[in-house]
Amino acid sequence: MERKEGNGMKISGLLKERASFSFEVFPPKIEQSLEPLKETLDQLYRFKPDFISCTYGAGGTNKGRSTELCDMIERSGHDVMPHFTCIGNTKQGVHDFIGEYVSMGVENVLALRGDIPHGLDGTNGDFNNASQLISFIRENFPSLCLGAACYPEKHMEAVSLEEDIKYLKLKQDCGAEFLITQLCHDVEAYESFIDQIRKKQIHLPVIVGIMPALSKDGIIRMTVSNGCSIPRELAEIIGKYGDNPEEFKKAGKEYTIKQILRYKTAGVNGLHIYSLNKYKDIVDILQASDLCR
C-alpha cells in the first residue's frame, strides 16, 4: 500500500491489499457550526475508516466549507477524499481548488460530473462530463489517486446500461483508478453489473455505497431522485411502517444490516457508508453488522 509520511494513503493501493471501509459526510451550511459534525466524526473514527469522503452542495455550492471540512479531517490524522464536480467549474478554478487540496495532504479525489441544476442545459463550466474532468486532473496532478462514480442500475440519463458502461470504460481510460457505486439496494443488480463490466474489460475495483434506511421519506426521495429501484423487502417495510417513524427506523436498520452482510458475501472491494452526518443509528448498524475493527 502506498503511504507517505503522515496520513496520506492512496485508495488504489489499499484496494490491492484488502477491502476498504469508509464513510461519507457533507459540510453544513456556512451559517451553521461544524461542532455537531465534529462530534459525529469523532464517533465514526472509532470504527477506523480507511477514508472519509466529503461532498459539497448541489450545483457546486459550498465548496469553501467543504475545503474547511476536508482540512479538519486531514488535521485529525485521517484520510479524506473530496468530491469534485464539473458544475460551474473552469479549468483554472479546478486547478486552484485541487492544488489547495494537495497542499493539505489530500491523496484521493472523487471526480464527478454532478447533478445538473434546474434551469441549466449543461454543466455551465469548462467540463461537460466526468471523463473530461478526470483527464484534466490526471494531466495536471498525476500523483493524485482518482475515483469515479458508477451506477449498477444505470445512470438516469443513459439510454441503456450498455451505453452507461461505455462511458464508464471511458472514465477508466482517462485515468480513474477505482469506482464507487451510486446507492443500490438491489444486491443482485450489483452482481449482474459487475459481471457485465468485467466482460467489457473494466477492471477497476468497485466500492459499494450503502444508504442506511432510516426514514421513509429519505429513502423514497433518494432512490427516486437517483433512478434506483426499491426491492420488495424494502417496499414492504415502507408499506408496513411508513406512518410510524420509530418502527420504520427499527425495521430499516435491520434491513440495512442484512444488506451490508449480503454485500460482504458478494465479495465487494469495499463498503462506503453514507452517514447522513449522523452517528447513533450508524453505530447501531455497524456494531450489529460486525464491522467494528
Side-chain angles (χ1 to χ4, degrees):
M1 173 171 47
E2 298 179 64
R3 181 176 287 277
K4 68 177 184 181
E5 183 179 357
N7 55 298
M9 177 270 301
K10 291 188 177 181
I11 295 170
S12 58
L14 168 67
L15 293 174
K16 291 176 182 177
E17 297 186 359
R18 60 173 173 79
S20 65
F21 176 65
S22 52
F23 297 106
E24 177 182 291
V25 297
F26 58 87
K29 295 178 181 178
I30 191 67
E31 67 272 13
Q32 296 175 331
S33 171
L34 278 173
E35 287 305 311
L37 180 53
K38 184 177 180 181
E39 180 184 4
T40 290
L41 286 167
D42 286 342
Q43 294 295 325
L44 298 181
Y45 292 154
R46 293 167 43 204
F47 294 92
K48 300 180 181 179
D50 294 303
F51 63 92
I52 306 288
S53 80
C54 182
T55 71
Y56 56 80
T61 60
N62 218 17
K63 279 185 288 193
R65 205 72 199 281
S66 178
T67 303
E68 180 184 2
L69 177 56
C70 288
D71 188 47
M72 185 180 79
I73 294 170
E74 280 288 327
R75 289 179 183 276
S76 75
H78 296 84
D79 288 291
V80 68
M81 179 185 69
H83 292 210
F84 211 85
T85 77
C86 301
I87 307 300
N89 280 317
T90 64
K91 291 180 179 180
Q92 186 61 52
V94 170
H95 195 281
D96 292 345
F97 263 103
I98 298 296
E100 189 172 356
Y101 287 139
V102 170
S103 70
M104 295 176 192
V106 168
E107 293 273 13
N108 309 278
V109 168
L110 185 64
L112 312 161
R113 188 201 68 178
D115 296 330
I116 304 295
H118 293 297
L120 292 182
D121 294 328
T123 62
N124 198 33
D126 288 342
F127 306 95
N128 295 321
N129 54 60
S131 295
Q132 293 177 356
L133 179 61
I134 291 167
S135 291
F136 180 82
I137 299 174
R138 172 61 63 229
E139 179 180 352
N140 289 274
F141 299 92
S143 66
L144 277 179
C145 177
L146 300 181
C150 64
Y151 305 85
E153 298 174 275
K154 90 171 181 61
H155 192 283
M156 286 180 65
E157 297 175 20
V159 174
S160 64
L161 181 58
E162 183 177 1
E163 179 192 60
D164 205 26
I165 290 174
K166 289 181 181 178
Y167 289 121
L168 188 59
K169 178 66 162 56
L170 185 58
K171 293 178 185 180
Q172 175 179 276
D173 294 344
C174 288
E177 298 177 63
F178 65 94
L179 302 169
I180 297 183
T181 72
Q182 178 56 272
L183 67 93
C184 178
H185 296 295
D186 190 335
V187 179
E188 290 184 0
Y190 162 80
E191 292 177 313
S192 175
F193 169 75
I194 293 297
D195 288 341
Q196 292 183 67
I197 66 172
R198 297 309 182 216
K199 291 176 182 177
K200 297 297 183 181
Q201 307 306 310
I202 298 173
H203 55 73
L204 300 180
V206 180
I207 297 171
V208 173
I210 301 288
M211 176 64 70
L214 301 178
S215 75
K216 178 196 73 172
D217 291 343
I219 282 294
I220 293 175
R221 181 176 65 254
M222 290 302 296
T223 52
V224 171
S225 64
N226 289 287
C228 304
S229 63
I230 298 179
R232 180 183 179 89
E233 184 179 355
L234 182 54
E236 289 178 349
I237 292 172
I238 293 171
K240 188 173 182 179
Y241 303 111
D243 294 329
N244 188 324
E246 287 304 313
E247 288 300 313
F248 180 91
K249 181 183 288 188
K250 180 180 178 181
K253 286 196 287 189
E254 292 176 356
Y255 174 83
T256 303
I257 292 164
K258 292 178 183 178
Q259 187 182 38
I260 289 172
L261 296 176
R262 287 167 184 156
Y263 272 122
K264 289 176 67 177
T265 300
V268 298
N269 296 120
L271 292 170
H272 189 57
I273 311 296
Y274 301 123
S275 76
L276 308 174
N277 283 16
K278 301 175 182 178
Y279 71 85
K280 292 182 179 178
D281 295 318
I282 302 298
V283 168
D284 289 344
I285 290 168
L286 296 182
Q287 289 176 336
S289 303
D290 194 28
L291 283 177
C292 298
R293 298 169 61 190

